[in-house]
């Protein structure tokens, strides 16, 4: 089996699949983490991926990710993150997608209420990192790489999701078709959380939690 291309990593490598650099207690200092059932209902209904659907649930407070804004992981540097929303004690905060995990002040917006957040969701969902501000190494996956290979070799779940969102799938059945992702999910080689994230990122229908567990 051909090996995947080496991926250039950021200096601070994640120790787990969760986006620990984006947990609210790290982002905003040693503050408490928060949950919001109202935010969960609003955002998941619009197709945002919830931290609650991670294995073990939202261990470090709620967070929601807009997966269509997720960049591929074959980047020159940094660890790309999608546009995200987090609850705060006094409302919510959004952070626009970036190619390297940084959150410049202009990419962050705070909202005093759920209504303010809802009024800004169209803008958040439309945002994409401008082309030219990031580079895909080697043009992405090679012609000999397959989704199945990526699933079996990429240990970092966030990186795997990013690659599967952007993989140039074949329209015909075969090892480079999206059918291989479906098969990996049915065989337990791809987590339900990763599968739902990939569907959301590719603009495909995402089954509700009950359907996913059935």
């Amino acid at each position: 089996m051909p090996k995947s291309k080496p991926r250039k990593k950021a200096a601070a490598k994640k120790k787990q699949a969760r986006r620990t650099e984006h947990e609210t207690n790290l982002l905003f200092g040693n503050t408490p983490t928060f949950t919001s059932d109202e935010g969960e209902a609003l955002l998941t209904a619009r197709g945002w991926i919830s931290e609650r659907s991670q294995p073990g649930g939202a261990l470090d407070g709620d967070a929601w990710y807009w997966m269509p804004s997720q960049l591929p992981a074959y980047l020159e540097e940094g660890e790309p993150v999608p546009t995200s929303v987090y609850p705060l004690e006094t409302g919510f905060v959004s952070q626009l997608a970036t190619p390297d995990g940084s959150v410049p002040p202009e990419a962050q917006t705070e909202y005093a209420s759920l209504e303010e957040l809802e009024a800004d969701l169209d803008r958040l969902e439309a945002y994409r990192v401008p082309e030219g501000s990031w580079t895909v190494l080697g043009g992405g996956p090679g012609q000999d790489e397959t989704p199945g290979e990526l699933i079996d070799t990429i240990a970092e779940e966030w990186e795997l999701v990013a690659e599967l969102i952007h993989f140039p799938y074949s329209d015909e059945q075969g090892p480079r078709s999206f059918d291989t992702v479906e098969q990996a999910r049915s065989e337990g080689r791809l987590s339900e959380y990763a599968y739902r994230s990939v569907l959301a990122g590719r603009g495909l229908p995402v089954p509700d939690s009950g359907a996913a567990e059935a």
Side-chain angles (χ1 to χ4, degrees), residues 43-168:
L43 293 170
T44 57
R46 291 179 65 113
W48 292 64
I49 292 296
S50 171
E51 187 74 6
R52 296 188 190 188
S53 62
Q54 278 267 27
L59 301 179
D60 296 286
D62 274 335
W64 302 277
Y65 309 117
W66 185 246
M67 298 311 299
S69 67
Q70 172 71 63
L71 289 173
Y74 277 101
L75 297 182
E76 188 170 349
E77 60 182 15
E79 296 187 345
V81 294
T83 293
S84 309
V85 169
Y86 309 89
L88 300 176
E89 184 175 21
T90 56
F92 298 85
V93 62
S94 68
Q95 296 172 339
L96 296 177
T98 65
D100 59 6
S102 65
V103 184
E106 62 271 18
Q108 182 166 298
T109 305
E110 293 194 23
Y111 312 92
S113 67
L114 185 69
E115 290 72 24
E116 286 187 12
L117 170 63
E118 184 173 15
D120 199 32
L121 286 178
D122 286 344
R123 178 185 72 91
L124 298 180
E125 293 170 359
Y127 178 80
R128 300 292 184 273
V129 176
E131 292 188 24
S133 61
W134 46 278
T135 301
V136 179
L137 290 174
Q143 292 187 355
D144 294 331
E145 288 187 291
T146 66
E149 181 193 351
L150 298 180
I151 290 168
D152 293 335
T153 59
I154 297 178
E156 296 276 358
E157 190 167 58
W158 76 267
E159 182 178 347
L160 175 60
V161 166
E163 290 308 323
L164 292 179
I165 287 174
H166 291 279
F167 192 88

Side-chain angles (χ1 to χ4, degrees), residues 17-31:
R18 292 177 186 273
R19 302 176 189 279
T20 52
E21 78 277 19
H22 265 326
E23 291 167 4
T24 54
N25 60 332
L26 297 181
L27 278 171
F28 307 107
N30 294 320
T31 61

Side-chain angles (χ1 to χ4, degrees), residues 197-214:
S197 297
V198 172
L199 290 180
R202 293 186 63 80
L204 299 173
V206 179
D208 60 35
S209 298
E213 293 171 358

